[in-house]
Amino acid sequence: MNKALAIPLRYRLSEHIAQFQNLIQWPARNIADAWANEMVRRLADQTRGLSLTSIGALERLNRIQALPLEERRAMVFGALAEIPVDSELHPLAWMHKDQSTGCYGTPAALAGLDGPVCRIDASDLGDAAPQESTSAVEQPGLGA
């Protein structure tokens, strides 16, 4: 494997939740996988300590991991369709693409790659294109 395409530190999960590392799809060659990676990372960040939030995050990660990959991807596309375009969770608000590798992710995730990084636009979305939606996403994460 190309050393530049090793899993970025941003997506290397802590030892206490290492069993969920397989939820990270790297390199993220499409927007759905990149968005799912970021949502898994956000859930992983919530697992620190012992609280209702950490227990809920672990429960969500367990539910996601129990799904076959194709069902996980279908869930991601469903979740993306529900996110209003002007939401901070929508890929257009934060996602970038490395021009040389075609990988998608946050600037931090793409930092180790060689190519120029640029913010995505609607033309990058393809099947994950923005939907006109007035529904609110109450809780970030793949298990919502």
Side-chain angles (χ1 to χ4, degrees):
M1 172 184 241
N2 182 341
K3 192 173 186 176
L5 292 180
I7 294 176
L9 286 176
R10 179 175 186 84
Y11 299 131
R12 291 187 197 155
L13 302 182
S14 303
E15 189 176 310
H16 78 284
I17 55 170
Q19 72 267 26
F20 300 113
Q21 188 66 54
N22 68 321
L23 295 177
I24 299 295
Q25 299 295 312
W26 191 261
R29 301 275 187 207
N30 61 64
I31 286 175
D33 285 346
W35 186 82
N37 287 346
E38 189 61 20
M39 295 304 107
V40 167
R41 187 201 58 80
R42 289 179 186 200
L43 283 171
D45 285 351
Q46 294 175 11
T47 63
R48 291 183 173 87
L50 183 59
S51 67
L52 289 177
T53 300
S54 66
I55 293 168
L58 284 170
E59 182 180 310
R60 281 180 160 169
L61 287 167
N62 276 311
R63 282 188 288 161
I64 294 164
Q65 192 170 45
L67 295 173
L69 180 60
E70 288 309 310
E71 284 185 43
R72 277 189 242 149
R73 286 196 170 137
M75 184 173 56
V76 167
F77 278 110
L80 283 170
E82 293 294 318
I83 300 173
V85 177
D86 60 352
S87 167
E88 68 181 35
L89 292 177
H90 196 280
L92 288 174
W94 57 268
M95 195 174 294
H96 290 67
K97 180 179 182 179
D98 179 84
Q99 297 299 305
S100 67
T101 63
C103 291
Y104 292 90
T106 64
L110 300 174
L113 303 178
D114 295 332
V117 173
C118 66
R119 191 177 199 107
I120 66 164
D121 61 31
S123 67
D124 290 304
L125 293 176
D127 290 337
Q131 304 294 315
E132 291 299 320
S133 174
T134 56
S135 65
V137 176
E138 293 179 20
Q139 183 71 27
L142 298 177

